[in-house]
């Protein structure tokens, strides 16, 4: 692990920024992710197929296209970006917040799919039984449905986090590659590969990326098993 001491301040900044961006993207995606997953799993409405297609569109579009669309919408001259900047002081383009937005969009389909599959696996009879006891719809969801889909929520969160850690195309298109502001691990690795003698730096950051991603997957597996055991006991 001596190679960790060889990291430059810019490399440490890229590591910290990547973790920050991925965490913010994951947490910001969670509430709408649960809502959209619930709509797709239980809802019956016109346009459901269209909504499902829009949600999963980032998975099939080239990441650069997604980044460019974000730039058009949330850039300083974009309709959403200009409105947010003028009324709330929120700026996305060429800021770390924009990187978080891009990562959230790219990881959102993975989160929604994991949660949706978990919701569809819930035995509706358990919810119906709680309803016959006088529980409201919100209370049934909070006390019956939510605990049962918790493993799926955890899996979706980790998938979103891992996707955000590795996101490159949409991020660099939307917020560029600014050291200390928008340069995440993938961007920093790309920069190292473009300069002579940058192989060692690229390798160091690659190893860190692997370690962080593997740690996230291990934590996800451990948490999912613990939650599953508790549910079996109850």
């Amino acid at each position: 692990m001596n190679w960790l001491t060889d990291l430059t301040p810019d490399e440490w900044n890229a590591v910290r920024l990547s973790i920050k961006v991925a965490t913010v993207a994951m947490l910001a995606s969670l509430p709408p992710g649960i809502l959209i997953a619930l709509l797709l799993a239980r809802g019956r409405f016109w346009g459901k197929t269209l909504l499902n297609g829009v949600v999963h569109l980032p998975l099939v579009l080239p990441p650069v296209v997604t980044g460019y669309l974000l730039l058009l919408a949330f850039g300083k001259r974009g309709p959403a970006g200009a409105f947010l900047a003028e009324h709330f002081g929120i700026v996305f383009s060429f800021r770390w917040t924009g990187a978080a937005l891009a990562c959230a969009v790219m990881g959102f389909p993975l989160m929604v799919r994991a949660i949706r599959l978990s919701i569809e696996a819930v035995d509706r009879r358990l919810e119906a039984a709680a309803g016959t006891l006088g529980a409201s719809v919100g209370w049934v969801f909070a006390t019956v449905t939510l605990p049962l889909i918790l493993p799926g929520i955890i899996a979706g969160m980790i998938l979103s986090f891992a996707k955000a850690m590795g996101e490159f195309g949409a991020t660099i298109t939307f917020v560029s590659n600014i050291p200390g502001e928008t340069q995440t691990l993938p961007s920093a690795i790309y920069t190292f590969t473009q300069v002579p003698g940058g192989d060692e730096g690229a390798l160091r950051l690659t190893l860190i990326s692997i370690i962080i991603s593997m740690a996230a997957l291990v934590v996800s597996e451990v948490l999912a098993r613990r939650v599953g055991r508790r549910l079996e006991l109850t």
Side-chain angles (χ1 to χ4, degrees):
M1 301 295 287
N2 291 334
W3 52 272
L4 285 175
T5 61
D6 296 332
L7 291 177
T8 66
D10 285 342
E11 292 171 11
W12 276 118
N13 284 337
V15 174
R16 286 191 291 265
L17 183 62
S18 292
I19 295 175
K20 177 182 178 180
V21 165
T23 301
V24 171
M26 174 188 69
L27 295 178
S29 300
L30 186 57
I34 295 175
L35 177 60
I36 296 298
L38 190 61
L39 284 174
L40 292 177
R42 300 284 179 82
R44 293 183 179 179
F45 55 91
W46 183 89
K48 180 178 177 179
T49 302
L50 179 62
L51 175 61
N52 184 62
V54 171
V55 168
H56 290 86
L57 198 57
L59 288 180
V60 294
L61 279 178
V64 173
V65 173
T66 302
Y68 182 63
L69 292 175
L70 288 173
L71 184 61
L72 292 178
F74 291 94
K76 292 183 178 180
R77 298 181 180 179
F83 176 81
L84 291 173
E86 181 179 351
H87 293 85
F88 301 100
I90 301 175
V91 179
F92 287 108
S93 58
F94 306 108
R95 301 284 181 87
W96 75 267
T97 50
L101 175 61
C103 290
V105 170
M106 295 301 295
F108 192 70
L110 300 176
M111 175 181 286
V112 170
R113 182 167 180 79
I115 299 175
R116 178 184 178 179
L117 292 175
S118 187
I119 293 174
E120 291 175 343
V122 172
D123 189 346
R124 300 294 296 273
R125 291 174 296 181
L126 297 175
E127 297 172 321
T132 59
L133 298 176
S136 64
V137 175
W139 186 252
V140 170
F141 178 79
T143 59
V144 178
T145 310
L146 191 59
L148 292 174
I149 67 173
L150 197 54
I153 292 176
I154 294 173
M157 291 175 66
I158 297 301
L159 286 173
S160 174
F161 180 87
K163 177 64 175 177
M165 286 295 299
E167 174 51 38
F168 175 70
T171 302
I172 200 170
T173 304
F174 183 33
V175 296
S176 189
N177 183 15
I178 306 171
E181 181 64 36
T182 65
Q183 189 179 73
T184 56
L185 277 172
S187 301
I189 293 172
Y190 172 77
T191 300
F192 272 121
T193 62
Q194 302 303 304
V195 298
D199 292 343
E200 291 186 4
L203 180 58
R204 287 195 298 268
L205 294 183
T206 298
L207 292 175
I208 290 177
S209 299
I210 294 173
I211 291 172
I212 294 174
S213 298
M214 283 300 299
L217 293 174
V218 170
V219 169
S220 170
E221 184 68 20
V222 171
L223 290 177
R225 287 184 179 181
R226 287 185 178 180
V227 171
R229 289 173 183 173
R230 290 182 180 180
L231 291 175
E232 290 177 358
L233 293 176
T234 55

